[in-house]
Amino acid sequence: MTWQVFSRYILNDPSSFTDELSRYTMIWLGLLGASYLFGKNAHLAITLLPSHLPEKANTALQIFIQILILTFVVLAMIKGGSALVGRTMQQLSPALQIPMAYIYMILPISGVVTVIYVALNMIDTVWKKK
């Protein structure tokens, strides 16, 4: 991004690849950051209902929520992301001329990381309540 600003305003010759590179980097960092937040259990959550439930019902609700998250991640991010990677290996990005599959590869990667973290969170939920 710094090079883009420098080349555009100082050199009056904007770089052609920096916009695309920064966009793809933001996608990668965003998805990896979301996976990391699952590990810290700091992801976005609505806590109105769990705070009013008894302990056993709250544990059951938390496990149900984790199962829903696992289902979405496995189907959308891992399965769908892997299919997308396979379909876009021949498609090149306009400026960088790299296969778009490299960009979309973050979907299954962050999906696997999220599955690991969600499974660990489920184990913690069950063991903390016993």
Side-chain angles (χ1 to χ4, degrees), residues 17 21 23 25 31 50 55 65 68 70 75 94 101 108-109 118 124:
F17 72 92
L21 181 63
R23 189 175 333 124
T25 305
L31 286 170
E55 187 174 335
I65 290 169
L68 285 176
L70 276 175
L75 292 176
I109 290 170
V118 169
D124 284 348

Side-chain angles (χ1 to χ4, degrees), residues 22-73:
S22 64
R23 189 175 333 124
Y24 296 154
T25 305
M26 185 178 68
I27 292 167
W28 270 71
L29 288 174
L31 286 170
L32 284 176
S35 296
Y36 176 73
L37 287 176
F38 274 101
K40 291 292 196 180
N41 218 3
H43 53 81
L44 181 63
I46 300 172
T47 59
L48 179 65
L49 181 61
S51 63
H52 291 21
L53 290 176
E55 187 174 335
K56 283 188 176 188
N58 189 14
T59 301
L61 177 64
Q62 293 304 319
I63 290 176
F64 177 70
I65 290 169
Q66 299 295 330
I67 289 170
L68 285 176
I69 291 170
L70 276 175
T71 303
F72 172 78
V73 168

Side-chain angles (χ1 to χ4, degrees), residues 106-118:
I106 190 58
L107 285 169
I109 290 170
S110 64
V112 168
V113 172
T114 301
V115 164
I116 292 168
Y117 279 141
V118 169

Side-chain angles (χ1 to χ4, degrees), residues 89-102:
M89 189 55 87
Q90 301 302 319
Q91 179 185 356
L92 299 178
S93 69
L96 295 173
Q97 292 297 302
I98 59 173
M100 289 300 292
Y102 295 165

